Amino acid sequence: MKTLYRLVLKSASVCTLLLGLLVAPLSAAAGEGFVFRSIDGGEIDTGDWRGKPLLVVNTASRCGFTRQYDDMQLLFDKYRASGFGLIAVPSDDFNQELGSDAEIKAFCEVNFGLDMPMTTSLSVKGAEAHPFYRAVAQQTGFVPRWNFNKVLIGADGEVVGTWGSSTKPLSGQITRAIEAELAKAE
């Protein structure tokens, strides 16, 4: 029985070591950057904001929170000159997104005048989640439970905060966190 117990402990230690090697922390991956396909063509690389705060928001065009696009644009306009980044990530994971990237882009331009970076429609939860969202879930346990969930990556590449749909982009919680990260980046 002692031999079996030692074997189990040894196996658990090896598994823990291997898991630690296989699951890189978000900061290491964010330093290299996550790449999203841009709705405008080309790519959006989170590494472009290395050393600056970046807010990533999963969005949907037919959601009760869609009006948050207005505040997202205002937030982006307020801090972008300081290096702050904001990426809108359309997703149909909650069955509230339009049918094509072209429809999403047109909807956002016509109704909200968005000029922030926006990805193509993609998954933010489950087995098909984009690697960015899988890394956030591994580091923090946070998985979007609805549209307009927010993830703030700090100047050091670590997740600084996560917020649900009901927290508005211009809320004091989010703006204070962004300002603190911008101060670190100076």
Side-chain angles (χ1 to χ4, degrees), residues 9 14 62 64-65 88 90 103 152 165 170 179 183 185:
L9 282 178
V14 169
R62 296 181 295 189
F65 292 101
E103 290 174 296
L152 180 62
S165 307
L170 289 171
E179 289 169 3

Side-chain angles (χ1 to χ4, degrees), residues 51-54 82 84 152-161 163 174-186:
K52 300 288 184 176
L54 172 65
S82 301
F84 167 72
L152 180 62
I153 306 300
D156 62 0
E158 297 290 329
V159 175
V160 173
W163 298 272
I174 293 175
T175 58
R176 281 190 298 274
I178 291 168
E179 289 169 3
E181 290 304 312
L182 286 170
K184 290 179 190 177
E186 293 178 346

Side-chain angles (χ1 to χ4, degrees), residues 135-148:
V136 169
Q138 285 176 342
Q139 182 185 358
T140 68
F142 180 81
V143 174
R145 295 173 59 194
W146 195 244
N147 304 305
F148 291 88

Side-chain angles (χ1 to χ4, degrees), residues 15 61-62 86 91 128 131 137 159 172 182:
C15 287
S61 302
R62 296 181 295 189
L86 195 156
S91 176
E128 299 298 314
V159 175
L182 286 170

Side-chain angles (χ1 to χ4, degrees), residues 5-66:
Y5 180 74
R6 277 190 229 128
L7 182 60
V8 168
L9 282 178
K10 192 175 225 180
S11 295
S13 297
V14 169
C15 287
T16 302
L17 176 63
L18 287 174
L19 184 61
L21 293 173
L22 293 173
V23 179
L26 184 60
S27 59
E32 297 168 15
F34 287 96
V35 176
F36 293 91
R37 286 185 29 228
S38 173
I39 204 162
D40 295 318
E43 296 179 337
I44 301 168
D45 186 343
T46 62
D48 292 346
W49 289 279
R50 190 173 297 122
K52 300 288 184 176
L54 172 65
L55 187 68
V56 181
V57 183
N58 68 300
T59 63
S61 302
R62 296 181 295 189
C63 178
F65 292 101
T66 301

